[in-house]
């Protein structure tokens, strides 16, 4: 049985409360529970995935996320050079942000999740509950400029991911497969392009 399922059974009583939000310094628009239930992505083509094998044949979005609105998110350098793009499921409600990618079995190289807040947040903390693979967590300000990037590896054996905390600020947070930003040369100061 997969570790995620075992841990999910033992943590079922607390999963709703701890599925991703450890704190949000700006509760002005009533989204305090929405720092994002970070779950993750599985690397695609290069085989380096922090312990998971890449899977480029995964359909995205699927399962729990099949009905989510999607948008193409492109990353561009300050000079306008394309760094890459993903099809992102949009998490724009408290429930969707708390769940995050925790129910995802895998995430293809060209898949992701875009967390959307009504206003910019000074303090967001993302965790990785019930994750079996790593992701990159990209914090983006209201002008859609990347302000911080975390390479968040999969939780280790006997860990449920809740102890892994990744902080930043912004109005958007993009989650993509582990080390996607490294493979595509994305960095702080680059911009996201997407339609909502």
């Amino acid at each position: 049985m997969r570790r995620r399922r075992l841990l999910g059974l033992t943590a079922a009583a607390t999963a709703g409360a701890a599925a991703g939000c450890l704190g949000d310094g700006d509760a002005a628009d009533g989204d305090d529970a929405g720092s994002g239930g970070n779950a993750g992505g599985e690397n695609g083509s290069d085989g380096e995935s922090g312990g998971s094998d890449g899977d480029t044949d995964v359909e995205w979005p699927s399962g729990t996320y099949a009905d989510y609105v999607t948008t193409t998110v492109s990353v561009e350098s300050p000079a306008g050079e394309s760094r890459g793009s993903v099809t992102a499921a949009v998490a724009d409600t408290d429930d969707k942000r708390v769940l995050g990618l925790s129910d995802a079995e895998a995430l293809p190289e060209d898949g992701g999740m875009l967390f959307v807040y009504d206003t910019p947040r000074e303090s967001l903390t993302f965790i990785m509950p019930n994750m079996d693979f790593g992701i990159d967590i990209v914090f983006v300000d209201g002008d859609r400029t990347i302000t911080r990037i975390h390479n968040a590896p999969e939780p280790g054996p006997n860990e449920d991911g809740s102890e892994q905390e990744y902080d930043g600020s912004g109005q958007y947070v993009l989650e993509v497969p582990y080390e996607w930003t490294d493979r595509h040369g994305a960095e702080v100061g680059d911009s996201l392009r997407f339609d909502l």
Side-chain angles (χ1 to χ4, degrees):
M1 190 180 263
R2 293 179 55 132
R3 184 185 72 208
R4 176 196 297 180
R5 297 201 196 294
L6 290 172
L7 291 172
L9 292 173
T10 60
T14 59
C21 177
L22 291 182
D24 178 358
D26 297 326
D29 64 4
D31 289 345
D32 352 46
S35 267
N38 293 6
E42 196 167 337
N43 167 350
S45 58
D46 70 1
E48 298 175 23
S49 62
S52 298
D53 294 328
D55 188 346
T56 57
D57 295 329
V58 174
E59 183 180 331
W60 183 254
S62 61
T64 301
Y65 311 99
D67 294 332
Y68 278 41
V69 170
T70 62
T71 187
T72 300
V73 179
S74 300
V75 180
E76 295 180 359
S77 73
E81 299 167 359
S82 176
R83 304 273 198 211
S85 64
V86 295
T87 298
V90 177
D92 57 359
T93 67
D94 286 347
D95 289 343
K96 288 178 180 179
R97 288 188 293 261
V98 169
L99 176 62
L101 289 170
S102 291
D103 277 353
E105 292 292 326
L107 191 66
E109 179 68 14
D110 62 350
M113 178 166 278
L114 181 65
F115 295 80
V116 178
Y117 297 91
D118 292 336
T119 59
R121 304 302 183 90
E122 288 299 317
S123 178
L124 294 168
T125 299
F126 276 60
I127 60 175
M128 296 181 57
N130 305 317
M131 293 301 300
D132 286 334
F133 42 84
I135 56 174
D136 284 359
I137 304 170
V138 181
F139 291 88
V140 181
D141 68 17
D143 293 328
R144 300 184 180 184
T145 300
I146 297 174
T147 60
R148 189 157 197 190
I149 298 172
H150 293 281
N151 296 124
E154 71 176 295
N158 303 316
E159 295 178 345
D160 72 359
S162 295
E163 68 285 344
Q164 291 177 242
E165 299 181 12
Y166 302 95
D167 64 336
S169 61
Q171 187 168 352
Y172 308 97
V173 178
L174 178 66
E175 293 183 345
V176 291
Y178 186 66
E179 295 183 341
W180 186 96
T181 56
D182 297 336
R183 290 188 296 279
H184 291 271
E187 55 192 34
V188 170
D190 287 350
S191 297
L192 299 190
R193 302 283 180 252
F194 55 86
D195 292 322
L196 289 179

